[in-house]
Amino acid sequence: RLRISPLIAFQSDYRRSNPARGFPISMARNDTAEAFRTFVAGVHGQILIVDAPRRPDGALVAVMPRQAWFCRTFQGTSAFRFLGTVLKVAFEPFPHVYLEVPKTVEQRKIRDRTRATVLMSAVIETPVSAQCVVVDLSVSGGRIATSDEVALERDQAIRIKLSLEMNGTQYNLSLQ
C-alpha cells in the first residue's frame, strides 16, 4: 500500500474543508465535550442552518430539538462562541440542523488583519531544509504546516522557498 505524505494529506483535507461549502463552525454539547466540525449552509435572521454534525467516521451525531449546543467559529479577525438551541433536525435534501443563535454572541478579536488561504507547497530552511505547506498569508505574516520532525520556536527566523507559475512563467520566491 502506498504511504501518503502527512503534508499531502493535510493539504488535501484542508482543501476539502473549502469555504465554498459554507463557513466552518464547531458544535459540542458543552464547553468540554467532543466538538464536531460542520458548516453553515444558510442564515435566516437569528437561525443558522448547519450541516448535521458527523463523527470522524462519517456517522451522524445524535441531535434533538430543544438541545443546547456550544458553538464556536473563527471569521476574518475574530473568534465567536455562543450557546445555540436546536429548533429542528431535517434529513432532506441533506442532513441539517436549524440552530437558533442568541441575541448576544461572545466575540474576541484574535488578529488585526485577515489572512488569505493559499495552500502552497514550499521548502522551509531552519537551517536544515524540509518540505512544508504555506497555509495562509497576511500583510503581517503567515502560517505553515510542517512534519513533526521540524522543530520550530516562536519568533524563530526561517526562510521559505516556493515557486509560482503565472501565465507560463516560473517565479522562484525566497521569503525570510
Side-chain angles (χ1 to χ4, degrees):
R1 184 174 173 140
L2 268 174
R3 186 175 183 283
I4 297 174
S5 156
L7 286 176
I8 299 299
F10 168 80
Q11 221 169 350
S12 178
D13 286 348
Y14 209 92
R15 276 197 181 96
R16 269 189 301 231
S17 67
N18 178 332
R21 290 181 56 193
F23 68 84
I25 189 168
S26 71
M27 295 175 61
R29 288 293 286 138
N30 59 52
D31 197 16
T32 58
E34 179 181 8
F36 303 97
R37 183 181 167 113
T38 186
F39 293 87
V40 174
V43 180
H44 183 70
Q46 290 292 119
I47 299 170
L48 295 180
I49 302 167
V50 301
D51 288 339
R54 294 181 182 268
R55 298 193 181 286
D57 66 2
L60 290 170
V61 175
V63 177
M64 304 294 290
R66 295 187 299 281
Q67 283 181 332
W69 283 75
F70 191 72
C71 301
R72 297 176 192 226
T73 188
F74 183 87
Q75 299 300 313
T77 60
S78 299
F80 300 88
R81 74 179 184 174
F82 60 90
L83 192 61
T85 303
V86 175
L87 299 175
K88 178 180 171 183
V89 179
F91 294 94
E92 294 295 331
F94 59 92
H96 58 285
V97 175
Y98 292 80
L99 194 63
E100 184 175 38
V101 178
K103 296 210 183 294
T104 304
V105 172
E106 283 184 60
Q107 176 184 357
R108 191 170 95 196
K109 189 172 181 179
I110 303 297
R111 60 176 69 107
D112 290 326
R113 296 197 160 86
T114 58
R115 292 183 174 179
T117 301
V118 293
L119 293 175
M120 298 169 52
S121 294
V123 173
I124 183 173
E125 294 178 346
T126 64
V128 177
S129 295
Q131 290 296 122
C132 71
V133 174
V134 179
V135 177
D136 58 40
L137 294 172
S138 73
V139 172
S140 59
R143 187 166 49 130
I144 61 169
T146 66
S147 69
D148 291 338
E149 291 84 38
V150 178
L152 297 172
E153 301 287 330
R154 185 175 179 87
D155 297 322
Q156 175 181 345
I158 60 171
R159 179 182 306 272
I160 298 175
K161 293 183 175 183
L162 55 103
S163 294
L164 298 174
E165 185 179 329
M166 294 169 48
N167 298 327
T169 304
Q170 190 79 20
Y171 297 92
N172 295 314
L173 301 175
S174 179
L175 310 170
Q176 191 164 1

